[in-house]
Amino acid sequence: GLIAMRAQIGASRRQVGQLLDLSTGNLHIFAGIPEPCQVQLMGVVASSSHLKTFLETFGNACSNQSLQITVTPGYCTTPSGQNLVYSIEKAILTDFAGAVETNQYMFVSTVNLIGLGPTITVS
């Protein structure tokens, strides 16, 4: 897999509202479509083969792949030894910048993706 020094996940909630139809007196409730979740990975380290697989998987505009980001909290949010797992469905790579190769490893400054989610679980 990939190791990132920092991961940032931004998501918006579905907008829900209501409208009163003055001609009938009916109250209509509507729900909007949420914007895609945005994921930014910074300071990424990976082997050349893992990075190539990552780019081939998520660089595809029709990706049906799930991106999972596992975080080990440094404070008392989960029981000892458990991790938080953020899952982004149908993740697509949108930006990739600053790649340098040294020996067998690749260092990438920024990787940006969009997708649906996130779903957060404890493992």
Side-chain angles (χ1 to χ4, degrees):
L2 303 168
I3 298 173
M5 297 299 291
R6 182 172 176 211
Q8 184 173 349
I9 301 172
S12 63
R13 293 184 175 183
R14 179 183 301 265
Q15 299 295 320
V16 178
Q18 58 189 14
L19 230 85
L20 178 62
D21 184 346
L22 296 176
S23 63
T24 63
N26 291 337
L27 185 63
H28 299 278
I29 297 175
F30 62 91
I33 298 172
E35 293 183 23
C37 172
Q38 298 177 0
V39 177
Q40 185 176 48
L41 305 174
M42 292 161 277
V44 175
V45 178
S47 69
S48 298
S49 61
H50 278 109
L51 189 60
K52 179 182 178 197
T53 302
F54 178 84
L55 293 174
E56 289 172 347
T57 302
F58 297 107
N60 181 353
C62 298
S63 173
N64 275 332
Q65 298 297 315
S66 171
L67 173 68
Q68 292 189 333
I69 299 171
T70 303
V71 178
T72 303
Y75 46 88
C76 302
T77 58
T78 60
S80 180
Q82 291 190 326
N83 298 317
L84 295 175
V85 179
Y86 295 82
S87 296
I88 313 301
E89 300 299 321
K90 300 184 185 294
I92 298 172
L93 182 69
T94 59
D95 189 30
F96 178 84
V100 175
E101 184 175 12
T102 304
N103 295 332
Q104 301 173 8
Y105 294 98
M106 297 288 294
F107 298 91
V108 183
S109 65
T110 306
V111 177
N112 293 317
L113 301 103
I114 59 171
L116 304 176
T119 303
I120 304 170
T121 57
V122 176
S123 67

